[in-house]
Amino acid sequence: MYLSEPGAMSFWWVNHKQTYRHEVDGRYIWSPKTKRDGSRNVSYDNLRRVLPGDVVFSYADGEIRQAGFVTRPAASCPRPSEFGSAGMRWEQDGWMVPVDWHPVPQPLRPKAFIEELRPYLPEKYSPLIASTGDGVQHLYLAALPDTMAQVLLNRLGTWGSEFLLQGHGTGDDDGAVREVDDALEEALRRDANLDETTRRAVVEARRGQGRFRLNVEAVEQACRVTRVSDRRLLRASHIKPWRACVSNAERLDGHNGLLLSPNIDHLFDRGYISFRADGQILISPQIDAQEIARLGVAVEPPPNVGAFSPGQMTYLTFHRTNVFLHGN
């Protein structure tokens, strides 16, 4: 049995169509946040449920050709430019999840062994039609039961066993999200409409430095959670991520920032914690509260970190909606 630690990782199935090569080559999966009419889609919402170390099977043209490990939680990212006309039917605002893809040695055709899979198909939101074994085209990302994942891994033989073992070494890595930031930074460096002083300030803001840091220090004096006040030990962290800002003014706004100890900055950036408008810390149900406690965040009860400015509260609304991991 490959799945020796039930619950240690979750399994997912992504239906890749026209964007298969873009997403595999770019090492990610991406979906819009909503449908064109603004309504929710469970397979889009699923991108907010995946966590580092989870396994994703890629299905395209009737075959499973790739399997990969998620390397960080979903990040708010615009529609990848490489989608071209294939992506025009989707909204611009979306979720990106970096995935470390691995080609399987021999593509699997689930239709050929649907009898074996049928007892383990999800009762709701199955990626395959039980009667025929064909893929469900309107479903992008589906959660798989461990039992169904086991069948797929068994079909992959020794490779499946060796692949799964690699998951234990999967760390947290920005991957494709970092490349989105790199591309945005490069575009800003080439923007002829920006004077050199502004261009430098906006680029430095990505790393919490320069003018943005000074602007944050005019609003905040210490880490809200640990109360560390030595500025040498603190990071200037964007509340609304740098890549998600709609203007350079947002990227440089001191009210779009907090001074955080490095461990708290990581938790906040990944969405494992956030803050209510009244200052109460929110802890994601997708992370073990005791692990959070070991990093210096009281959990019983979570502390109140004090009032925020009106500007900070606006950005925190975005963080709670688009960064904080709410759970299933």
Side-chain angles (χ1 to χ4, degrees):
M1 292 290 287
Y2 299 136
L3 307 183
S4 58
E5 299 179 33
M9 60 178 63
S10 296
F11 296 88
W12 306 89
W13 173 298
V14 63
N15 275 325
H16 277 137
K17 288 177 272 190
Q18 299 102 312
T19 60
Y20 165 76
R21 183 47 57 193
H22 300 304
E23 295 186 81
V24 168
D25 288 349
R27 306 183 82 77
Y28 62 83
I29 56 176
W30 183 92
S31 82
K33 293 179 181 177
T34 63
K35 297 179 182 178
R36 278 287 189 184
D37 61 5
S39 62
R40 301 282 291 273
N41 180 317
V42 68
S43 65
Y44 297 166
D45 290 344
N46 277 343
L47 272 80
R48 294 275 282 146
R49 297 173 56 204
V50 302
L51 291 173
D54 286 358
V55 170
V56 185
F57 295 98
S58 169
Y59 176 84
D61 296 327
E63 296 180 334
I64 292 176
R65 303 175 183 176
Q66 305 276 339
F69 295 104
V70 173
T71 61
R72 71 150 282 169
S76 183
C77 281
R79 183 178 64 233
S81 59
E82 58 264 29
F83 283 5
S85 59
M88 295 306 293
R89 66 182 181 277
W90 296 312
E91 290 292 293
Q92 176 72 12
D93 193 22
W95 305 118
M96 176 176 281
V97 175
V99 179
D100 180 19
W101 290 114
H102 299 257
V104 303
Q106 183 66 41
L108 299 179
R109 295 193 65 84
K111 187 180 178 72
F113 53 97
I114 187 61
E115 294 292 338
E116 187 179 356
L117 288 168
R118 188 174 292 125
Y120 308 115
L121 295 177
E123 294 183 8
K124 195 174 184 180
Y125 306 122
S126 171
L128 294 172
I129 300 171
S131 59
T132 65
D134 294 318
V136 178
Q137 295 302 307
H138 67 272
L139 195 67
Y140 178 64
L141 186 67
L144 298 186
D146 287 0
T147 47
M148 182 176 173
Q150 181 70 76
V151 173
L152 298 175
L153 290 165
N154 285 343
R155 284 276 174 169
L156 291 169
T158 301
W159 186 92
S161 178
E162 294 175 348
F163 165 77
L164 201 62
L165 287 174
Q166 295 180 54
H168 295 286
T170 301
D172 188 291
D173 181 17
D174 280 334
V177 174
R178 183 173 56 252
E179 294 178 11
V180 170
D181 284 344
D182 290 344
L184 177 56
E185 179 178 325
E186 183 59 29
L188 289 167
R189 290 183 183 276
R190 296 194 308 265
D191 189 344
N193 295 315
L194 293 179
D195 62 78
E196 183 57 33
T197 300
T198 301
R199 182 182 296 109
R200 182 182 301 110
V202 174
V203 169
E204 289 177 342
R206 174 187 172 184
R207 297 164 180 83
Q209 299 172 357
R211 190 193 306 176
F212 171 69
R213 169 98 189 199
L214 293 174
N215 291 343
V216 174
E217 289 180 345
V219 178
E220 298 282 296
Q221 288 75 50
C223 175
R224 290 277 185 150
V225 178
T226 64
R227 307 314 304 169
V228 170
S229 59
D230 188 330
R231 65 188 304 275
R232 297 171 298 178
L233 304 177
L234 298 173
R235 294 178 179 172
S237 179
H238 280 89
I239 300 173
K240 183 178 184 179
W242 185 85
R243 80 186 69 84
C245 291
V246 298
S247 68
N248 289 330
E250 285 191 348
R251 295 187 177 100
L252 296 174
D253 188 355
H255 293 275
N256 185 21
L258 296 170
L259 291 176
L260 300 174
S261 302
N263 55 330
I264 305 302
D265 172 67
H266 180 80
L267 294 172
F268 186 71
D269 177 69
R270 292 300 193 265
Y272 295 126
I273 66 170
S274 190
F275 304 98
R276 290 194 327 214
D278 64 2
Q280 190 73 36
I281 290 183
L282 299 172
I283 297 174
S284 170
Q286 294 198 21
I287 199 77
D288 187 331
Q290 292 308 309
E291 293 296 303
I292 296 288
R294 292 186 181 103
L295 287 173
V297 181
V299 296
E300 296 179 354
N304 188 294
V305 301
F308 295 100
S309 72
Q312 287 175 314
M313 286 193 287
T314 298
Y315 291 117
L316 282 168
T317 298
F318 181 94
H319 190 275
R320 289 192 299 270
T321 303
N322 295 277
V323 181
F324 181 63
L325 300 173
H326 294 272
N328 300 338

